[in-house]
Amino acid sequence: MSDLLLMILVGVVVVVASPAVVCSQQQWQQQRVLPGSSLQASAPSLIWSSINATFSLGFVPANPPTDPASFVASIAYSGGILVWSVGNGILVDSQGSLQFHSTGDLLLVNGSGTILWKSGTSGLGVAFATLEESGSLVLWNSSSNAVWSSFDNPNDILLPGQGFKAGDVLRSGLYSFRMLLNGNLMLRWNETVVYWDQGVNSSVDVNPWGNVVKGYNPRFVNLSATLQSPTLELQAVGILAISDPVLSSPVIMAYSSDFAEGTDVLRFLKLGNDGNMKIYSSERGSGTAIPRWAAVQDQCQVFGYCGSLGICFHSKLGQQDNPSCECPSGNFEPISTQDARKGCKRKVELKNCPGNSTMLELNHTRFSDYKREPLAKNELRVSESARSSCILDCLKSNICVASASADDGTRTCYTQSSDFFSGYRVSSLPGTLYIKVCGQGLPNPVSSSKNMSENADFLGLDHGFLVVVTVPSVVGFIIFQIGFFLWYRWNSPVIGRSLDRYKLLEYVSSVPVQFTYKELVISTKGFKDRVGAGESGAVYRGVLSSRDIVAVKRLYESNLGEMDFRKKVSTICSTHHLNLVRMIGYCCQKTERLLVYEFAKNGSLDSLLFQTEDRNSLTCLSWEKRFNIALGSAKGIAYLHEECRECIVHLNIKPENILLDENYHAKVSDFGLAELMDPRGHHRQELSSIQQTSSYISPERLANLPTTSKADIYSFGMVLLEILSGRRSYEVSIDTGGLKFSTWVREQFEKGSFLSIIDRRLAKGDVDMEQVQRAIITALWCIRNQPSQRPTMRRVVQMLEGHLEVELPPPLDSVHELSYPISPNSKSTFIHGA
Ligand SMILES: *[C@@H]1O[C@H](CO)[C@@H](O)[C@H](O)[C@H]1NC(C)=O
Ligand SMILES: *[C@@H]1O[C@H](CO)[C@@H](O)[C@H](O)[C@H]1NC(C)=O
Ligand SMILES: *[C@@H]1O[C@H](CO)[C@@H](O)[C@H](O)[C@H]1NC(C)=O
Ligand SMILES: *[C@@H]1O[C@H](CO)[C@@H](O)[C@H](O)[C@H]1NC(C)=O
Ligand SMILES: *[C@@H]1O[C@H](CO)[C@@H](O)[C@H](O)[C@H]1NC(C)=O
Ligand SMILES: *[C@@H]1O[C@H](CO)[C@@H](O)[C@H](O)[C@H]1NC(C)=O
Ligand SMILES: *[C@@H]1O[C@H](CO)[C@@H](O)[C@H](O)[C@H]1NC(C)=O
Ligand SMILES: *[C@@H]1O[C@H](CO)[C@@H](O)[C@H](O)[C@H]1NC(C)=O
Ligand SMILES: *[C@@H]1O[C@H](CO)[C@@H](O)[C@H](O)[C@H]1NC(C)=O
């Protein structure tokens, strides 16, 4: 971000290049630059410009500034955004120059005369140079063939028209971006750690994201065929796509959120020094660039962002792109007091305290480089041990330096033996990180002194609302806000203490009750009784003064402003269906966003479905209950999609979000939250969640492609398989021959062996085989890769009920395609629309 500021500064420099200078002496330089010309760091107003002055090449002051001043020879876009620099940012002193030598070489020379960089084009017959309107600096020979170009020597930015081939690389510090020959795009840290990987050939089970097959069109490409020479290109309208001779049309990898908007806008792809790759757009002459798409949604997931042993966390709610870093505890100290991103070091090295180490416990924290394929690397060993052995195993091991237990019901333990690792803390994350330290674990001096205590924050604040309001400096805005507040109080039927209000309203009205933060703190006894946690927030049991039991969900990140939040809440509140969890009210005070729901007595489906062996098998859900739960959830989702006033795409369907009331009726929860979490409808919280959740996410969503309600159908199909089998769909075991459960089901079904699919705990006589068969076929249709092949939820209900005869879908392998209309702006588009 900070380099953007400098880019603005540079804009000033370009403006300083007054017409007088350009017209008299440098007019010829507007087109062809001849050998013998040079640019001086001491005369920054002297520039080489492209024909319509869209781009210019000249010296700009170093960023950050140095003492004595130093300069970089850079290409800037109109307005001053730097897009390329000679030698990827080599600094020269104030006597430095860029010389176009008569031999044809372009040289960057320091004041002392040292050649710091050269294009290596001497003797190739270079006759002249141009700066193209595309932003490329090109050296030509006399028959006008390009001998060298800046486009072929990228730094950290890719401009429209600049082809990026396998073998090319964008670099920024330790981070690099490459495309593999198979069309996969990868972000790496220090060449070794891959923390982002997406591509044309993100094929089944090979890809860590799960079942992602993107852009494959079997009519033209054959999965076993290879790409010949894939080229990644950012189209000027803001579409990032891969083309190849074997592909009939380019495969779209990403859309910039302002794609095809504006007329005089430059879009570019940049690998930042924060390790994230983003598409920016800059309006001509504005000097500012706005990020429009990011490869890694959650900045904390960029490997090494907080350096070695650093802990990454989001200090401000809803700011996933600007996290903070700190050291794990008092056993560590920052490497640099100026820059927390440099990481931390141990005060006492582990080798200096043999046999006297303990495991430091960091709640709500996990490794930032959680691998999505835990078995792939030996540094990340998975054992089925419980929490305590996750600690003990690491403590006893000589090579283990840290471990993490997932605490999400999977009892997964990750261990780490490398010196370089970092953590990611999210207040509602169900997971604990243990770091081996010498002696006793000490509290974190920084965290505790900052009074990070979440609950204490509000208790003394009666005027929380006014505090929010007075922050903006525009007085009119304040008056408007107060006016709105008063108006709201007058016109809202919910005046007075909300506890009574709730009693009054009962379940008749769809007007959400507004609770104060204090009321919810009291009803949940200070958020003591935590009953669950998801990506969007933790859920606590609470009792209202009316004695009604409620579930209070405390969102931990919401980007929505107050008014938008209220609007969305009223949408959610207005959806009533037997199979949807009823929202009663909400609280929106300062940065706190809480939602109050009816309480489902039997908890969530996952706790009943995936029981651990030691539980009594009598509590196993009967087939009848399971089938009704499946049907009920389908009806609830169908209502969300098609019948309610404002249709809602759920985007987070999984057993954890299907609750069961006292009669085991399914109640879908958490709907509408995807939107609440981010006004632009992105799915940040989703992709930032733990590995397993990705198995419910449809391929097109994982691929950042336009998403419709069909994404929910995919997730529901996975849940349906889990209801049938009592196993997680991502589970890989010996039973399933090393295949992912969802893949294996299909094989078994084709062989006619239903019995191997259904839960072994179910008594054979109680199972209605006809229902089982219908449910399996329905599930297999739901989990098609191609969204258009999945049925609608209404059809799913009909299929389950047996009102619609369906055949087994064709084998998966023949349909590896995901094709999208070029415009994602159709009405049903959810993710990238608007
Ligand atoms: C430069 O601007 C002129 C007039 O606006 C336009 O006709 C021409 O196509 C532009 N040249 C390039 C290379 O974009
Ligand atoms: C360029 O010259 C200056 C002063 O002569 C010197 O301090 C600096 O280190 C030189 N830069 C490089 C990259 O050699
Ligand atoms: C210019 O370069 C092209 C391609 O490299 C080459 O074929 C041609 O002979 C060169 N022309 C001159 C005059 O060197
Ligand atoms: C896709 O990946 C598979 C397995 O890694 C490989 O065999 C195949 O050649 C790849 N196809 C393309 C088009 O790169
Ligand atoms: C990066 O990798 C190199 C070689 O593998 C290694 O020597 C170096 O220590 C690594 N850098 C960091 C910061 O770990
Ligand atoms: C797919 O490609 C492989 C290897 O190039 C070839 O053997 C096979 O016949 C092709 N299949 C189809 C359906 O074209
Ligand atoms: C972490 O959580 C456990 C269980 O909730 C609690 O006993 C422990 O005190 C917590 N540790 C820290 C450092 O907050
Ligand atoms: C272990 O470390 C603690 C605290 O640093 C120290 O008091 C104790 O003497 C050490 N014990 C051994 C056996 O080194
Ligand atoms: C932190 O909070 C405690 C009471 O909760 C208070 O006594 C202390 O002064 C606070 N510290 C800071 C640095 O604000």
Side-chain angles (χ1 to χ4, degrees), residues 174 189-192 420:
L174 280 176
W189 174 85
N190 202 18
E191 300 297 339
T192 47
F420 194 109

Side-chain angles (χ1 to χ4, degrees), residues 11 187 304 358 452 599 621 772 814:
L187 286 173
T358 54
M452 299 283 280
F599 191 80
L621 282 175
V772 168
S814 68

Side-chain angles (χ1 to χ4, degrees), residues 747-780:
E747 283 189 2
Q748 293 305 302
F749 189 78
E750 276 166 12
K751 281 194 223 151
S753 71
F754 306 158
L755 287 178
S756 58
I757 298 170
I758 56 176
D759 198 329
R760 272 170 252 150
R761 291 170 296 180
L762 286 169
K764 298 280 172 294
D766 294 342
V767 178
D768 179 337
M769 285 317 284
E770 213 181 300
Q771 284 179 347
V772 168
Q773 190 167 343
R774 282 207 304 266
I776 296 177
I777 295 181
T778 308
L780 291 175

Side-chain angles (χ1 to χ4, degrees), residues 51 80 223 264 349 369 381 408 412 653 766 814:
I51 201 157
L223 246 192
D264 221 354
E349 288 301 322
D369 62 326
R381 188 174 49 88
D408 59 353
T412 308
I653 292 168
D766 294 342
S814 68

Side-chain angles (χ1 to χ4, degrees), residues 521-534:
V521 170
I522 292 165
S523 65
T524 58
K525 298 205 180 76
F527 301 106
K528 265 225 180 81
D529 191 0
R530 194 164 102 159
V531 291

Side-chain angles (χ1 to χ4, degrees), residues 727-742:
R727 301 195 219 181
R728 290 282 189 181
S729 58
Y730 52 78
E731 195 181 279
V732 175
S733 67
I734 303 163
D735 292 4
T736 62
L739 289 175
K740 214 161 61 180
F741 182 70
S742 48

Side-chain angles (χ1 to χ4, degrees), residues 175-421:
Y175 297 105
S176 60
F177 168 67
R178 278 194 181 77
M179 178 170 60
L180 306 189
L181 255 177
N182 66 10
N184 271 29
L185 305 180
M186 280 190 181
L187 286 173
R188 286 197 180 91
W189 174 85
N190 202 18
E191 300 297 339
T192 47
V193 180
V194 175
Y195 57 91
W196 188 75
D197 176 8
Q198 271 191 18
V200 180
N201 196 17
S202 303
S203 62
V204 187
D205 290 334
V206 178
N207 185 287
W209 289 90
N211 198 14
V212 185
V213 177
K214 178 151 45 149
Y216 250 116
N217 195 328
R219 277 165 295 179
F220 307 102
V221 192
N222 157 356
L223 246 192
S224 51
T226 47
L227 298 180
Q228 290 169 1
S229 56
T231 305
L232 178 73
E233 200 171 307
L234 180 65
Q235 298 166 11
V237 292
I239 291 175
L240 186 67
I242 294 178
S243 51
D244 186 89
V246 303
L247 295 168
S248 64
S249 60
V251 177
I252 296 172
M253 305 303 296
Y255 293 94
S256 119
S257 64
D258 68 338
F259 112 93
E261 286 170 18
T263 46
D264 221 354
V265 177
L266 174 76
R267 297 193 177 79
F268 58 91
L269 183 73
K270 176 172 181 172
L271 174 63
N273 61 9
D274 59 3
N276 208 341
M277 193 172 63
K278 294 180 183 170
I279 296 176
Y280 292 85
S281 59
S282 172
E283 222 165 290
R284 190 189 182 97
S286 69
T288 55
I290 301 161
R292 300 294 192 174
W293 172 83
V296 185
Q297 299 282 340
D298 179 350
Q299 186 61 44
C300 275
Q301 299 205 347
V302 170
F303 186 81
Y305 178 78
C306 282
S308 186
L309 300 169
I311 305 290
C312 188
F313 64 100
H314 298 286
S315 48
K316 289 208 188 100
L317 293 175
Q319 288 215 344
Q320 298 225 5
D321 53 354
N322 193 14
S324 309
C325 300
E326 70 176 22
C327 294
S329 74
N331 307 71
F332 300 83
E333 59 192 3
I335 287 172
S336 157
T337 50
Q338 317 293 317
D339 184 1
R341 281 195 52 202
K342 290 266 188 296
C344 306
K345 59 175 190 272
R346 294 169 192 278
K347 287 178 179 163
V348 182
E349 288 301 322
L350 284 178
K351 61 179 190 301
N352 297 334
C353 65
N356 195 8
S357 51
T358 54
M359 296 301 278
L360 178 73
E361 181 186 58
L362 302 175
N363 287 344
H364 310 304
T365 309
R366 60 163 166 74
F367 290 123
S368 65
D369 62 326
Y370 73 98
K371 298 280 160 62
R372 293 151 190 125
E373 203 71 76
L375 286 166
K377 283 251 165 69
N378 55 6
E379 74 188 35
L380 214 61
R381 188 174 49 88
V382 178
S383 66
E384 279 295 311
S385 58
R387 196 178 162 123
S388 60
S389 69
C390 189
I391 304 173
L392 289 175
D393 283 357
C394 185
L395 198 55
K396 278 186 280 178
S397 155
N398 286 332
I399 54 164
C400 180
V401 293
S403 63
S405 69
D407 297 357
D408 59 353
T410 61
R411 299 201 295 169
T412 308
C413 175
Y414 299 90
T415 63
Q416 180 68 263
S417 59
S418 149
D419 267 349
F420 194 109
F421 66 88

